[in-house]
Amino acid sequence: MMKSKRIQQIKEYVAQHQVVSLDELVEKFAVSKNTIRRDIQELVDSGEIKKVYGGVAMNHDPSPLVPFSDRQIRNKREKELIGELAAQFVTDGDIIFVDSGTTTLEMFDHLKHREITIITGNLDFIVRCMPYPNLTVITVGGILERRTNSFVSLKDTGVLSTYNINKAFMASTGISLDTGVTNASALETDIKREAVERSMYTYLLVDRHKFDKFGLMTYCKLSDIDYLITDSQPNEGYLRYASEHHIQIIYPSPVLSHDR
């Protein structure tokens, strides 16, 4: 395993378990204790984890997973604008992945008359598709994660490995230049990561309140995103990063935001 990938997985493992011992990490990643110590030191130097008695722990408290019903009414107008913008990138014949989340759900009213195939575990999206025979729905199946109203597959099932996805519309608990694109549900990480890997183009839908925040686990790097769709222009740091990594940032014009 490449060092960079191992360090990322160590960070995710520590985030998931909160406190872990060095011996546990040695057994989990099948490397020497000296290798684990060096990897840990890099994460400590970056400020992402800290050493505690007997092991290591996360250095910051990640953003918690707020219940779906509460998130659905939070920043409602911003999510509607983002959903409308994102839906404009969908054309008839597309095979799209729609992530769990309240922001991706706002795409539905702008897609319901399209002739498209939708792959999703988003329960609310699936239910809304039922009256529309023009929408072909493929569900990922698995376990119902009630906190996000979505189905999640058992770990490492490769549920999306046989599908050719044109466009993936992804949600996130928080994003930052350091931690990348994160989510608060450990159960959803694998399906999110696989959707990004399998899709030709990846669209990330996040409102301005999620910038410089992070959740429990990172499911992709910010540079893996092709389009960042938000409700207002990000700060200069994100604009520079987007330019360097060929990410298109999409946000409503001031006229659209004001008039609607």
Side-chain angles (χ1 to χ4, degrees):
M1 181 186 298
M2 293 179 58
K3 179 182 177 181
S4 59
K5 183 176 181 181
R6 185 178 64 247
I7 289 176
Q8 176 63 31
Q9 291 184 1
I10 289 172
K11 182 176 68 173
E12 293 177 359
Y13 188 81
V14 175
Q16 184 176 2
H17 294 83
Q18 298 302 305
V19 179
V20 298
S21 68
L22 293 185
D23 289 338
E24 185 178 351
L25 292 173
V26 167
E27 181 178 355
K28 171 68 178 177
F29 294 96
V31 294
S32 70
K33 185 168 286 189
N34 284 336
T35 297
I36 286 295
R37 285 197 180 103
R38 288 193 292 269
D39 291 348
I40 288 299
Q41 191 58 50
E42 287 197 24
L43 289 170
V44 170
D45 291 342
S46 70
E48 296 179 80
I49 68 172
K50 60 184 177 181
K51 294 179 180 178
V52 297
Y53 182 76
V56 293
M58 292 302 293
N59 198 29
H60 306 287
D61 293 327
S63 299
L65 180 55
V66 178
F68 185 89
S69 57
D70 293 342
R71 287 185 288 118
Q72 195 165 19
I73 60 175
R74 181 182 292 179
N75 306 319
K76 176 71 171 174
R77 187 61 194 137
E78 290 91 336
K79 293 175 181 179
E80 290 174 348
L81 285 170
I82 294 169
E84 182 178 358
L85 285 172
Q88 294 175 11
F89 290 93
V90 180
T91 59
D92 288 344
D94 275 346
I95 302 171
I96 69 172
F97 177 86
V98 177
D99 198 8
S100 62
T102 55
T103 307
T104 50
L105 187 59
E106 295 296 340
M107 295 177 63
F108 179 78
D109 283 340
H110 309 285
L111 298 179
K112 61 188 179 184
H113 297 302
R114 290 286 188 187
E115 297 281 347
I116 56 176
T117 297
I118 301 167
I119 303 172
T120 188
N122 189 322
L123 178 59
D124 294 83
F125 212 99
I126 294 168
V127 171
R128 293 189 186 189
C129 286
M130 291 296 291
Y132 299 92
N134 52 296
L135 301 176
T136 300
V137 180
I138 301 173
T139 68
V140 299
I143 301 168
L144 177 62
E145 166 62 286
R146 295 181 181 276
R147 295 177 301 171
T148 60
N149 276 21
S150 65
F151 292 103
V152 293
S153 297
L154 297 176
K155 195 171 182 63
D156 299 328
T157 57
V159 67
L160 298 180
S161 61
T162 59
Y163 295 110
N164 297 313
I165 304 170
N166 296 109
K167 300 159 186 174
F169 295 89
M170 308 302 298
S172 174
T173 303
I175 66 170
S176 77
L177 300 180
D178 294 325
T179 58
V181 186
T182 66
N183 68 293
S185 171
L187 293 174
E188 292 186 340
T189 298
D190 287 333
I191 192 73
K192 289 173 179 284
R193 183 176 293 143
E194 193 174 0
V196 172
E197 291 174 353
R198 292 294 303 169
S199 181
M200 292 178 62
Y201 299 99
T202 300
Y203 300 76
L204 179 62
L205 285 60
V206 287
D207 63 63
R208 64 183 181 276
H209 304 286
K210 293 182 178 179
F211 283 75
D212 294 324
K213 304 287 178 59
F214 68 95
L216 179 65
M217 304 183 79
T218 298
Y219 69 82
C220 75
K221 296 179 293 184
L222 194 55
S223 57
D224 293 329
I225 300 301
D226 298 296
Y227 295 84
L228 175 57
I229 305 178
T230 185
D231 60 298
S232 62
Q233 180 175 297
N235 66 38
E236 185 60 35
Y238 286 95
L239 295 177
R240 187 183 313 111
Y241 183 95
S243 176
E244 292 171 354
H245 293 87
H246 309 291
I247 303 168
Q248 292 195 44
I249 298 181
I250 310 297
Y251 55 92
S253 69
V255 174
L256 177 63
S257 301
H258 176 75
D259 288 348
R260 289 183 55 83

